[in-house]
Amino acid sequence: MRRFNSVTVDQEAHTAVIGAGGRLGNIALALYDQGKQAISHGTCPGVGVSGLTLHGGYGMSSRLHGLTLDQLVSVTVVLHNSTVVTASPTSNPDLFWALRGAGAAFGIVTDFKFKTFDAPESNLVFSYNLSPSNTSQLANILTVLQNFTIHDQPPELNMRMFLPNQLTGVYYGNRSAFDTIMNPLLTKLNIPLEGRGAGTVSTKKWIDTLTSFSNGPLPQPEIYDYHENFYAKSLMPEYLSPAAMTALADYYFTTARNIRGRSWYLLIDMHGGSGSAISKVPADETSYSHRNAVFKMQFNDRIFPDSATYTPKMMEFLNGWVDAIEKASEGEQFGMYINYADTNLTKADAHSRYWGEHYERLVGIKGVYDPQKVFEGPQLVGS
């Protein structure tokens, strides 16, 4: 699909038609070059737009503009019998609903039409260091961030935490408003407002803002040959109880920080809450099933070299972390994000975790648009 990589902007209409083989860094640059337009998308420039969009698409402007799939106007799809159709709110609307959250199971998308917005050119990019020294302190930090995300975080403020010691993000507004919002939070997190340990805040234009959160340069080669050898898990909790926060933090101090010879991280995005554009979309508007998740949690454990074998024994590390959090939540099973596919899940668990109450409706739509199950995958709808 890499040759399906065109980007055509209608600046007056604030729309763009984007080929399904494009990668995010190239797409961002093409949108900007055609009238300084933008869409909400993820931070890694090598990620393909199709997988991202068809299953969600969270990035550092999502609290203000929604998920990537929330900006879809229409898509062009090749169906199982090679029929080419348009899916939109008025053409094949049930297919359009399914594609926005579970899209890999229904056809081959060749292009997407998105709503665009004017790229903001004065953005505050910030980073603060956290220094919890025990379970109680880390659990308190997470609790403060959860409460702030649910009740006080405005849409202009996008944040993420790399556990245990970095809080970073971007604010689309001026410094005075930023300080009014952030200073009470920083005080609760024991982060100095000035002087040593106060963190960094800098003003950046749009492309520089994207680069700040990127894991490499934005331009991507047509022949993409980047690989990582890793295992990933996710959680999409609507709320983590005090017991769950303690379990999460305790596992870090007793287990995670003692892992050697591997490169792991836990990334917690401040996803939902009353101020998030994601949460404002009705739960049944799309097949994306995590509208009310306060956090989007990505657990990632990478080994070296890339030719090595990631063994089932190694999976016990991240599996144990998720198990500890859920057992402390009175055995509750939280949702999970299919874009961080977890190969340890059974089909039934994957279907439930990824799509929740939407799954049965998705199966019915699958039967209409792909009755012969041409589009199969180990955990996809209908598998």
Side-chain angles (χ1 to χ4, degrees):
M1 297 296 291
R2 70 176 185 269
R3 296 182 187 274
F4 290 75
N5 59 14
S6 62
V7 177
T8 305
V9 172
D10 184 333
Q11 189 177 0
E12 184 175 346
H14 276 83
T15 60
V17 177
I18 297 176
R23 297 187 181 274
L24 299 185
N26 296 335
I27 290 168
L29 292 170
L31 289 170
Y32 190 79
D33 288 344
Q34 298 178 58
K36 295 187 176 181
Q37 294 300 287
I39 62 172
S40 173
H41 57 72
T43 56
C44 297
V47 167
V49 69
S50 289
L52 177 92
T53 304
L54 294 172
H55 298 134
Y58 181 90
M60 298 308 288
S61 57
S62 289
R63 292 184 60 84
L64 184 58
H65 296 287
L67 300 166
T68 311
L69 61 78
D70 290 328
Q71 299 161 89
L72 275 178
V73 176
S74 64
V75 297
T76 305
V77 193
V78 182
L79 300 180
H80 74 100
N81 59 2
S82 68
T83 302
V84 181
V85 302
T86 297
S88 73
T90 57
S91 178
N92 299 296
D94 51 349
L95 177 61
F96 190 55
W97 179 87
L99 290 171
R100 290 174 295 159
F106 297 91
I108 302 171
V109 174
T110 58
D111 63 55
F112 302 87
K113 186 175 184 179
F114 290 102
K115 295 177 292 184
T116 66
F117 57 86
D118 295 330
E121 294 287 37
S122 181
N123 314 309
L124 297 179
V125 175
F126 58 88
S127 180
Y128 299 98
N129 292 323
L130 304 162
S131 54
S133 58
N134 56 49
T135 293
S136 177
Q137 290 178 5
L138 180 53
N140 180 67
I141 287 170
L142 293 166
T143 300
V144 167
L145 288 173
Q146 177 172 255
N147 290 339
F148 179 79
T149 303
I150 293 173
H151 301 294
D152 301 316
Q153 187 173 351
E156 296 82 11
L157 179 63
N158 292 254
M159 289 196 303
R160 57 180 31 170
M161 177 186 180
F162 281 93
L163 191 134
N165 57 11
Q166 185 186 47
L167 181 67
T168 186
V170 59
Y171 179 71
Y172 301 103
N174 62 52
R175 183 61 190 263
S176 176
F178 174 78
D179 288 340
T180 299
I181 295 163
M182 285 296 290
N183 286 354
L185 174 65
L186 298 177
T187 299
K188 291 180 182 179
L189 295 172
N190 294 317
I191 296 172
L193 301 183
E194 57 185 21
R196 186 175 180 181
T200 62
V201 182
S202 57
T203 303
K204 295 183 182 293
K205 293 187 175 182
W206 178 246
I207 294 299
D208 292 334
T209 299
L210 297 180
T211 303
S212 296
F213 298 100
S214 170
N215 63 351
L218 296 185
Q220 298 293 302
E222 180 178 327
I223 305 299
Y224 187 81
D225 194 32
Y226 180 79
H227 306 275
E228 290 184 2
N229 190 352
F230 68 97
Y231 174 54
K233 297 184 76 70
S234 64
L235 284 178
M236 303 290 287
E238 295 186 12
Y239 174 78
L240 290 176
S241 68
M245 292 294 196
T246 297
L248 190 165
D250 192 58
Y251 196 90
Y252 166 74
F253 281 101
T254 61
T255 303
R257 70 172 180 171
N258 299 319
I259 296 292
R260 298 288 183 264
R262 285 140 69 176
S263 179
W264 68 265
Y265 63 81
L266 170 50
L267 170 61
I268 302 177
D269 281 305
M270 318 291 124
H271 174 278
S274 61
S276 174
I278 301 169
S279 302
K280 285 180 166 52
V281 176
D284 294 332
E285 182 74 17
T286 69
S287 60
Y288 181 80
S289 64
H290 312 299
R291 295 288 173 186
N292 294 324
V294 59
F295 291 154
K296 180 174 71 67
M297 305 171 68
Q298 180 187 5
F299 303 76
N300 189 293
D301 183 29
R302 182 181 180 185
I303 65 170
F304 301 91
D306 289 330
S307 59
T309 300
Y310 196 101
T311 66
K313 181 69 175 176
M314 294 176 178
M315 293 179 180
E316 293 176 2
F317 163 44
L318 294 187
N319 290 339
W321 209 342
V322 169
D323 287 346
I325 295 167
E326 292 193 325
K327 287 177 181 176
S329 305
E330 298 182 349
E332 181 175 356
Q333 285 198 332
F334 296 115
M336 293 181 171
Y337 185 42
I338 187 176
N339 275 351
Y340 305 146
D342 182 349
T343 54
N344 258 350
L345 297 180
T346 65
K347 289 183 174 73
D349 281 342
H351 297 158
S352 174
R353 298 269 201 166
Y354 295 155
W355 296 294
E357 295 180 355
H358 292 155
Y359 186 69
E360 290 307 315
R361 181 181 174 187
L362 285 165
V363 171
I365 297 171
K366 172 78 167 178
V368 172
Y369 286 94
D370 185 22
Q372 298 176 5
K373 295 189 175 182
V374 171
F375 303 107
E376 279 277 78
Q379 298 176 342
L380 297 184
V381 170
S383 60

